[in-house]
Amino acid sequence: MRLDKFLKVSRLIKRRTLAKEIADQGRIIVNGNVAKAATNVEVGDELKIQFGQKLLTITIDLLKETVKKEEASDLYTIKQEEYINQ
């Protein structure tokens, strides 16, 4: 599944276009490599996403094309949440 689609389906980012913008800015890392929106992600991949001052590290647990809002958090596990001082 494409990275931008996973971020939207999992509701980590609300819109696919926004996920693409964040990826284009180099703020998403998949398994240690800076990722583009079209990067394919798989179960077990580690994502680091920078939201402003917050760095969120997650692991992908499940891939689905569509999920209900209540089930979106089942797609990933948050490993670490840290704040960056810039």
Side-chain angles (χ1 to χ4, degrees):
M1 177 181 285
R2 283 175 56 114
L3 174 62
D4 56 351
K5 181 161 185 176
F6 172 77
L7 292 171
K8 184 209 177 290
V9 170
S10 65
R11 290 174 171 77
L12 284 164
I13 298 177
K14 290 187 180 210
R15 293 184 321 275
R16 204 164 162 176
T17 52
L18 185 57
K20 182 182 180 329
E21 286 176 25
I22 291 172
D24 289 346
Q25 293 170 2
R27 293 170 33 197
I28 302 176
I29 297 172
V30 177
N31 297 329
N33 300 313
V34 176
K36 297 197 179 291
T39 300
N40 279 322
V41 293
E42 298 175 1
V43 173
D45 284 355
E46 181 182 271
L47 275 62
K48 291 187 180 199
I49 310 164
Q50 184 180 343
F51 297 102
Q53 300 296 318
K54 185 166 79 170
L55 183 64
L56 188 65
T57 305
I58 66 159
T59 302
I60 298 175
D61 295 331
L62 189 63
L63 293 177
K64 284 190 172 181
E65 292 295 317
T66 58
V67 292
K68 293 183 175 142
K69 187 177 184 179
E70 306 81 42
E71 300 169 349
S73 62
D74 295 342
L75 299 179
Y76 61 90
T77 302
I78 297 174
K79 291 175 68 178
Q80 188 174 8
E81 194 171 342
E82 59 185 305
Y83 290 89
I84 306 164
N85 295 328
Q86 291 182 344

